[in-house]
């Protein structure tokens, strides 16, 4: 018997509603909830495959684990022992060094109730504000800008504005990849009304940019100059709304004086674009009846991210494009509950319900509602500073929950050093396979997606219930329960009452949270679990007595500032924190892939999500590659002032000359040594403290690695991955990926052969050492080919030798994918499969498993996007591949966007 449970997706901040099918023990299916107003039944490729991430318990943390020393291995422990140990060790550090010697680093993927308990534990019990979140790396610059300009955190817009907008600016967001469900709504609106104009501001020609009416491929980091130049032009042309400015804002005249130094011609030179393009973008924005801006990490992850956000908000305030349908600045949340975490005050620089740490009245309000005394008036350490404090010994103990800072933080070598130095590290996690778990002295098993209940708040301020479809496996527990249990034990050791930290249910946590919001800008006094059950997801503000929440904010022109007026801020454009130079002449841009998520601890469990982008690669402009005598498929060494990473090269003019692009997802679980953040800078925004993850000055050098290894093995892919992963870091280059649901693929390369490592790989892959293994060896050439058989099926292949040996064995390696039996003599497998196989056929459409070659053949036969959908089915389910289908059709026909603007910088290069 199966049951259907309503819940939400655990990936981006769209907050898609889901209907989860379970058989009582396992999740067996999922579909979009057609009644949920965030997605109306749509899901992206990641959401569609969520059930596959939960099919196996391999890699799950199923019981508490502890170790007595850093040199020892962790061993299983009971919950009572683990909880008592955490409480005792934290109490000891607090007694010896004070409350600010401990810290908590949590996650935008926690539910609001989880977040709430952690925040109360840190600030109300320990009395430290050292609790921060990976949302600091995601949304904090958007928060700072909203507060500085509009008076309060939270987008003033809603999802209905996607259809109501007549002009849309995408700034630093490849929305087609990062928020595909919302992008589908924009696509449908534009298809229904082709007069809608899209402007994309992005250094790369992404799938989003390829569909734009106007693409501005600016030099990375020059967004403030661009927006200043656009507003300069609007002022000059008389396209601002002086009535709105005078009636609802302050500070415009000071900003206007600053903008005199940003005429379009000068700004175009700074940004590396044509002046006519800048003017066109400004004209379209200024003359539009409804202009909407959509922005994400390209603005936020910057050492000047707050000012980038503010400069874009200025355009809306100066033209009155805010507080009405289709108009306003709309920050796209990067995680499923970054908004909910901010609502409960789960960052080092804020208190609950948008209160301020430095405000004595705010602290008194929280103390009264929490039943505690002595909240700290000292702001806590935000993420980068927090791990620096762990590294230099100011913070002795840290508790990390539902996040992977060893992978996601900038200059990640410093984070590894910090955790290795700390006296005590607690990691609360659902999966063993993260880069942070090895540093845990205590590992606490947490419930994961589909196993826990509570609420989340999405990008449009909409609160949804999350319901558990199945019970958590093993001894895994909800995050709020773990934090509450430690809090009760810690309270006893600190000699304070434990009652404020004992919660009987998640509903009591939510009720306490909503009581804190009453009278605040995010008032949800009118929302409770019963209302959410009866009426579905609701937007805030929703005070008690209201009939419904507010879809849009500031419709009356009254803002959340002390005087009700929005604020302009005068500031100059400043370049990136780390300029390029002769030694590091290239600009590194980091970003997302379509089918992967963050550090891949969940999406990396699904083989089909590797099919679109199977390997970690660096993308470079063809001219830059030619100057370095590089070709696609070569190994390159990417290096910065902090670290380096060896990657494969891809060549594309989607990146401008002078820039390179590397996806941020590949962690040490899939790439030897770790991800690209070994090279990124820890420079932070002075207001938001968000680091500049999007840009670093780097160099790219050719790298010759003559010894190559390739292997394909059939079996339990997750268990094989766990066995192989520790070997990756021992090679100059090594990757592992899942393929399908029953295979893994390993690739490695190095300066010289390593027979001992090869044998360890053989063992990790579970290859036999008996008569079922056929081996061909050429000792003089250090070449080995091994084929493992299971009956008449080829069960695994391992090849090592020179580049020609591995390249010439691609068809042999491909034999592992076949299910048909081998009918010839076994030794003939080496002869029959000599020579390279056909190039790998990339999967474009995950939902229907449609390959690039099939699509290309249909296009050659005259198919357009509509015909591709009809004939092949691609683009008809989640729609995530539609932008790529459009690009493929356009490339075949030689079509160009309506307005194609070359980059001056690229042309000059």
């Amino acid at each position: 018997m199966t049951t259907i449970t309503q819940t939400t997706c655990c990936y981006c901040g769209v907050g898609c509603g889901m209907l989860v099918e379970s058989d009582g023990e396992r999740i067996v299916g999922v579909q979009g909830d057609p009644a949920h107003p965030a997605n109306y039944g749509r899901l992206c490729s990641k959401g569609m495959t969520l059930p596959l991430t939960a099919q196996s318990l391999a890699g799950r943390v199923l019981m508490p684990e502890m170790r007595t020393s850093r040199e020892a291995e962790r061993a299983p422990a009971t919950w009572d022992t683990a909880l008592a140990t955490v409480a005792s060790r934290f109490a000891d550090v607090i007694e010896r060094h004070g409350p600010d010697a401990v810290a908590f680093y949590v996650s935008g993927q926690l539910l609001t109730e989880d977040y709430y308990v952690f925040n109360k534990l840190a600030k109300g019990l320990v009395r430290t504000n050292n609790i921060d979140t990976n949302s600091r790396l995601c949304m904090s610059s958007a928060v700072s800008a909203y507060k500085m300009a509009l008076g309060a955190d939270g987008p003033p817009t809603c999802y209905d504005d996607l259809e109501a907008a007549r002009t849309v600016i995408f700034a630093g967001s490849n929305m087609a990849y990062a928020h595909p469900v919302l992008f589908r709504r924009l696509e449908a609106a534009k298809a229904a009304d082709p007069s809608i104009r899209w402007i994309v501001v992005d250094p790369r020609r992404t799938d989003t940019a390829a569909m734009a009416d106007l693409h501005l491929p600016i030099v990375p980091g020059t967004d403030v100059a661009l927006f200043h130049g656009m507003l300069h032009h609007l002022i000059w042309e008389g396209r601002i709304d002086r009535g709105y400015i005078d009636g609802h804002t302050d500070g415009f005249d000071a900003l206007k004086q600053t903008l005199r130094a940003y005429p379009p011609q000068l700004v175009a030179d700074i940004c590396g674009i044509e002046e006519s393009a800048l003017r066109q973008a400004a004209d379209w924005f200024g003359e539009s009846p409804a202009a909407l801006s959509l922005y994400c990490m390209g603005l936020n992850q910057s050492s000047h991210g707050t000012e980038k956000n503010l400069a874009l908000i200025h355009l809306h305030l100066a033209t009155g494009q805010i507080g009405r349908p289709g108009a306003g600045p709309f920050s796209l949340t990067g995680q499923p509950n970054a908004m909910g975490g901010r609502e409960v005050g789960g960052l080092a620089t804020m208190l609950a319900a948008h209160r301020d740490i430095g405000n004595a009245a705010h602290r008194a309000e929280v103390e009264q509602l929490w039943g505690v005394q002595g909240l700290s008036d000292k702001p806590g350490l935000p993420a980068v500073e927090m791990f620096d404090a762990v590294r230099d010994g100011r913070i002795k103990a840290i508790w990390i929950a539902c996040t992977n800072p060893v992978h996601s933080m900038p200059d990640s070598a410093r984070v590894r050093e910090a955790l290795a130095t700390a006296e005590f590290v607690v990691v609360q996690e659902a999966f063993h396979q993260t880069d942070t778990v090895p540093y845990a002295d205590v590992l606490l098993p947490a419930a994961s997606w589909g196993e826990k209940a509570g609420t989340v708040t999405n990008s449009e301020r909409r609160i949804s219930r999350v319901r558990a479809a199945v019970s958590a496996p093993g001894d895994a527990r909800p995050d709020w329960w773990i934090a509450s249990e430690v809090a009760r034990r810690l309270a006893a050791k600190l000699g304070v009452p434990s009652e404020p930290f004992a919660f009987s249910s998640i509903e009591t946590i939510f009720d306490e949270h909503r009581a804190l919001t009453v009278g605040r800008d995010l008032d949800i006094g009118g929302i409770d679990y019963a209302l959410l059950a009866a009426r579905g997801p609701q937007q805030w503000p929703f005070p008690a007595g209201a009939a419904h929440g507010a879809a849009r904010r500031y419709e009356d022109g009254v803002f959340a500032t002390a005087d009700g007026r929005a604020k302009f801020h005068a500031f100059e454009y400043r370049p990136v924190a780390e300029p390029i130079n002769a030694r590091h002449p290239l600009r590194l841009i980091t970003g997302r892939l379509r089918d992967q998520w963050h550090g891949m601890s969940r999406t990396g469990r699904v083989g089909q999500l590797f099919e679109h982008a199977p390997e970690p690669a660096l993308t470079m402009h063809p001219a830059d590659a030619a100057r370095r005598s590089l070709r696609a498929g070569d190994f390159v060494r990417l290096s910065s002032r902090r670290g380096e990473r060896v990657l494969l090269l891809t060549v594309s003019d989607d990146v401008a000359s002078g820039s390179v692009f590397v996806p941020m997802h590949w962690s040490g679980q899939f790439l030897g040594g770790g991800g690209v953040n070994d090279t990124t800078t820890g420079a932070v925004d002075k207001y938001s403290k968000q680091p500049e993850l999007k840009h670093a000055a780097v160099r790219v050098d050719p790298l010759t690695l003559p010894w190559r290894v390739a292997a394909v093995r059939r079996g339990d892919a997750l268990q094989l991955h766990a066995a192989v992963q520790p070997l990756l870091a021992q090679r100059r280059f090594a990757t592992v990926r899942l393929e399908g649901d029953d295979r893994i693929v390993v690739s490695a390369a190095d300066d010289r052969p390593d027979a001992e490592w090869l044998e360890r790989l053989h063992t990790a892959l579970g290859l036999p050492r008996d008569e079922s293994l056929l081996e061909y060896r050429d000792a003089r050439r250090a070449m080995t080919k091994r084929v493992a058989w299971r009956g008449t099926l080829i069960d695994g292949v391992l090849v090592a030798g020179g580049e020609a040996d591995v390249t010439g064995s691609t068809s042999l390696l491909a034999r592992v994918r076949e299910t048909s039996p081998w009918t010839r003599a076994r030794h003939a497998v080496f002869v029959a499969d000599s020579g390279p196989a056909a190039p790998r056929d990339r999967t474009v459409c995950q939902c229907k498993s449609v390959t690039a070659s099939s699509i290309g053949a249909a296009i050659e036969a005259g198919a357009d996007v509509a015909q591709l959908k009809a004939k092949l089915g691609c683009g008809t389910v989640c729609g995530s591949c539609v932008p790529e289908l459009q690009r493929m059709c356009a490339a075949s026909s030689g079509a160009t966007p309506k307005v194609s603007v070359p980059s001056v910088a690229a042309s000059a290069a």
Side-chain angles (χ1 to χ4, degrees):
M1 179 178 177
T2 61
T3 58
I4 302 295
T5 305
Q6 288 181 309
T7 188
T8 60
C9 186
C10 63
Y11 291 126
C12 75
V14 174
C16 293
M18 289 181 158
L19 300 177
V20 178
E21 184 179 1
S22 63
D23 62 8
E25 295 182 359
R26 297 183 309 116
I27 292 172
V28 296
V30 69
Q31 63 182 29
D33 184 351
H36 198 291
N39 58 312
Y40 296 112
R42 301 180 185 91
L43 294 175
C44 71
S45 60
K46 296 181 288 291
M48 293 280 290
T49 55
L50 262 172
L52 300 179
T53 71
Q55 281 189 343
S56 172
L57 294 183
R60 285 296 301 269
V61 183
L62 298 176
M63 63 185 68
E65 298 176 11
M66 295 172 46
R67 62 186 175 194
T68 55
S69 69
R70 283 290 162 84
E71 295 73 31
E73 295 290 328
R74 286 192 307 269
T78 66
W79 266 115
D80 281 343
T81 301
L83 295 169
T85 300
V86 173
S88 178
R89 293 292 299 272
F90 267 63
D92 176 62
V93 170
I94 292 166
E95 182 179 353
R96 288 186 291 117
H97 302 286
D100 288 338
V102 302
F104 302 81
Y105 188 65
V106 296
S107 167
Q109 293 173 74
L110 292 174
L111 304 183
T112 299
E113 291 78 1
D114 303 326
Y115 248 130
Y116 184 89
V117 177
F118 266 112
N119 191 50
K120 189 176 181 181
L121 164 60
K123 293 172 181 171
L125 175 58
V126 177
R127 293 177 176 81
T128 181
N129 290 315
N130 284 342
I131 176 170
D132 215 50
T133 165
N134 57 15
S135 297
R136 178 73 60 188
L137 315 181
C138 169
M139 299 304 301
S140 53
S141 289
V143 172
S144 295
Y146 278 142
K147 291 175 68 174
M148 291 171 67
L150 311 180
D153 179 17
T157 46
C158 66
Y159 290 167
D160 287 347
D161 291 323
L162 300 172
E163 284 86 8
R166 303 296 91 187
T167 299
V168 182
I169 290 185
F170 303 83
S173 167
N174 184 12
M175 196 176 175
Y177 275 18
H179 298 88
V181 169
L182 296 186
F183 193 69
R184 302 285 86 75
R185 294 179 64 165
L186 289 165
E187 284 179 314
K190 190 168 174 58
D193 183 359
S195 69
I196 294 173
R197 290 163 170 163
W198 287 4
I199 304 166
V200 173
V201 181
D202 199 306
R204 293 192 297 138
R205 187 172 66 238
T206 63
D207 276 11
T208 308
M211 297 175 67
D213 299 287
L214 178 63
H215 175 208
L216 304 178
I218 63 171
V219 172
T222 59
D223 309 78
V224 167
L226 173 68
F227 300 141
H228 276 4
M230 289 174 64
L231 186 49
H232 176 114
H233 176 72
L234 291 173
I235 294 170
W236 183 265
E237 295 296 326
R239 287 196 170 127
I240 59 173
D241 188 338
R242 193 73 217 199
Y244 191 90
I245 293 169
D246 293 341
H248 302 285
T249 73
D250 285 329
F252 180 75
D253 289 339
L255 173 61
K256 182 179 177 181
Q257 187 65 31
T258 298
L259 295 178
R260 291 180 181 275
Y262 294 88
Q265 183 175 1
L266 173 63
V267 168
D269 289 342
I270 293 171
C271 295
I273 59 174
E274 301 290 347
E275 179 186 355
S276 59
L278 184 152
R279 293 182 184 274
Q280 181 70 86
D283 287 341
W284 283 357
F285 187 96
E287 70 191 22
S288 177
L292 181 71
S293 58
L294 301 165
Y295 49 99
C296 199
M297 299 310 144
L299 296 194
N300 293 341
Q301 289 180 336
S302 164
S303 57
H304 312 304
T306 299
E307 290 171 347
K308 290 179 179 182
N309 278 259
L310 284 170
L312 183 54
I313 293 172
H314 289 165
L315 285 169
H316 287 276
L317 293 174
T319 56
Q321 296 275 13
I322 190 171
R324 52 192 176 83
F330 198 168
S331 59
L332 298 170
T333 304
Q335 293 195 86
N337 201 32
M339 186 82 73
R342 305 194 314 257
E343 292 164 8
V344 303
L347 286 99
T349 47
M350 62 174 62
L351 282 179
H354 294 178
R355 290 178 174 86
D356 296 322
I357 288 171
N359 187 311
H362 287 182
R363 294 197 306 275
E365 290 170 3
V366 175
E367 287 173 347
Q368 180 181 6
L369 288 162
W370 276 354
V372 302
Q373 292 182 341
L375 293 187
S376 173
D377 63 355
K378 176 185 175 183
L381 296 177
V384 172
E385 294 177 44
M386 178 181 288
F387 284 95
D388 283 346
V390 175
R391 185 170 177 265
D392 64 28
R394 284 174 289 151
I395 291 175
K396 310 293 184 182
I398 186 167
W399 186 342
I400 299 166
C402 195
T403 188
N404 186 16
V406 172
H407 171 69
S408 60
M409 290 285 290
D411 194 1
S412 45
R414 292 175 66 88
V415 179
R416 293 193 293 270
E417 292 171 13
L419 295 181
T421 301
E423 284 187 18
F424 186 57
V425 177
V426 180
V427 176
Q428 187 166 312
E429 179 57 74
F431 301 104
H432 276 287
Q433 298 292 109
T434 83
D435 292 2
T436 303
V437 163
Y439 295 89
D441 297 306
V442 175
L443 179 61
L444 302 175
S448 186
W449 171 83
E451 303 161 1
K452 54 186 182 178
T455 58
V456 295
T457 307
N458 72 358
S459 292
E460 62 166 352
R461 298 170 281 105
R462 189 178 296 277
I463 298 172
S464 297
R465 277 295 309 275
V466 174
R467 295 171 176 85
V470 295
S471 298
D475 286 335
R477 295 289 185 270
D479 294 282
W480 71 266
W481 181 91
I482 300 171
S484 180
E485 289 296 308
V486 171
R488 292 195 303 107
R489 290 164 172 80
L490 182 58
K493 293 183 177 296
L494 297 179
V496 299
S498 62
E499 289 78 8
F501 309 99
F503 297 99
S504 59
S505 68
I506 55 170
E507 187 168 6
T508 61
I509 302 170
F510 184 81
D511 287 342
E512 190 173 304
H513 159 54
R514 69 190 185 96
L516 279 163
T517 71
V518 172
R520 306 291 300 162
D521 68 287
L522 72 165
D523 192 331
I524 58 170
I527 299 178
D528 58 19
Y529 275 16
L531 180 79
L532 294 174
R535 295 174 49 184
Q538 300 295 317
Q539 288 175 279
W540 62 255
F542 195 137
H548 53 76
R552 297 179 184 85
R553 307 182 78 185
Y554 317 127
E555 290 182 296
D556 57 0
V558 178
F559 292 87
T561 57
D563 60 5
R565 300 173 71 86
K567 310 298 180 185
F568 288 98
H569 297 265
F571 49 84
E572 303 288 347
Y573 154 72
R574 292 177 293 161
V576 293
E578 188 172 71
I580 57 175
N581 58 23
R583 180 162 180 77
H584 297 96
L586 296 170
R587 301 175 178 90
L588 169 66
I589 305 168
T590 65
R592 296 182 184 272
L593 296 173
R594 190 190 72 186
D595 298 333
Q596 297 292 354
W597 176 253
H598 287 195
M600 299 165 61
S601 59
R602 185 182 296 280
T603 54
R605 296 168 64 85
V606 182
Q608 71 186 68
L609 294 180
F610 288 84
E611 292 174 358
H612 189 250
E615 294 177 305
L618 176 146
T619 303
M620 175 180 281
H621 190 275
D624 291 342
R627 278 193 290 270
R628 292 165 175 79
S629 300
L630 292 170
R631 298 174 301 171
D634 286 353
F635 289 112
V636 293
R637 184 170 68 95
L638 169 73
S639 57
S640 72
R641 294 172 176 86
R642 290 154 297 279
E644 65 178 53
R645 188 60 60 234
V646 176
L647 299 161
L648 291 166
L649 179 69
T650 62
V651 177
S652 171
D653 60 5
D654 286 347
V655 294
S657 178
S659 294
V660 295
F661 171 76
V662 178
M664 50 80 76
H665 306 289
W666 303 99
S667 70
Q669 303 304 308
F670 301 94
L671 174 65
V676 70
N677 280 338
D678 266 15
T679 67
T680 55
T681 173
V684 300
D685 180 278
K686 67 178 180 179
Y687 302 104
S688 69
K689 307 303 180 183
Q690 182 163 359
E692 189 156 272
L693 285 164
K694 279 293 180 186
H695 181 273
V698 298
R699 64 181 298 114
V700 175
D701 296 301
L703 187 64
T704 301
L705 299 176
W707 188 58
R708 307 292 178 88
V709 178
V712 182
R713 178 69 161 116
R714 193 188 304 277
D716 186 321
L718 294 176
Q719 291 185 353
L720 289 169
H721 173 217
V724 168
Q725 186 275 330
L727 302 177
L728 301 181
Q730 299 170 20
R731 302 269 61 87
R732 291 292 303 276
F733 174 84
T735 67
V736 60
R737 72 175 188 270
L738 276 61
E739 188 175 76
D741 59 3
D742 65 346
R743 298 180 304 279
I744 68 164
V745 179
V746 182
S747 300
D750 218 318
D751 300 303
R752 60 184 61 87
D754 186 337
E756 183 181 351
W757 184 86
L758 192 66
E759 293 310 314
R760 291 201 299 272
L761 177 62
H762 183 114
T763 300
L765 289 170
L767 294 173
R769 296 185 184 275
D770 55 22
E771 65 276 4
S772 61
L773 180 76
L774 183 67
E775 181 176 25
Y776 173 76
R777 181 183 300 174
D778 186 332
R780 184 179 60 83
R781 294 168 50 204
M783 185 268 283
T784 298
K785 296 183 180 183
R786 299 172 183 174
V787 180
W789 303 82
R790 180 165 49 87
T792 58
L793 291 177
I794 297 177
D795 220 29
V797 172
L798 173 63
V799 177
E803 180 181 0
D805 297 318
V806 172
T807 301
S809 300
T810 51
S811 57
L812 174 60
L813 292 156
R815 285 280 182 187
V816 184
R817 303 174 179 90
E818 298 179 1
T819 58
S820 56
W822 179 260
T823 57
R824 301 170 61 185
R826 285 190 174 185
H827 67 269
V829 74
F830 295 125
V831 178
D833 289 279
S834 60
R840 177 186 163 273
D841 198 359
R842 186 169 56 91
T843 298
V844 174
C845 175
Q846 292 292 347
C847 301
K848 294 290 187 177
S849 298
V850 184
T851 62
S853 64
S854 300
I855 295 168
I859 293 173
E860 284 291 320
D864 58 15
V865 173
Q867 291 165 327
L868 290 173
K869 291 181 177 181
K871 293 179 179 179
L872 302 178
C874 48
T876 60
V877 183
C878 81
S880 296
C881 63
V882 171
E884 186 166 356
L885 299 180
Q886 293 180 332
R887 292 188 76 176
M888 293 175 74
C889 289
S892 177
S893 66
T896 58
K898 298 174 190 174
V899 180
S900 181
V901 182
S903 165
V904 171
S907 300

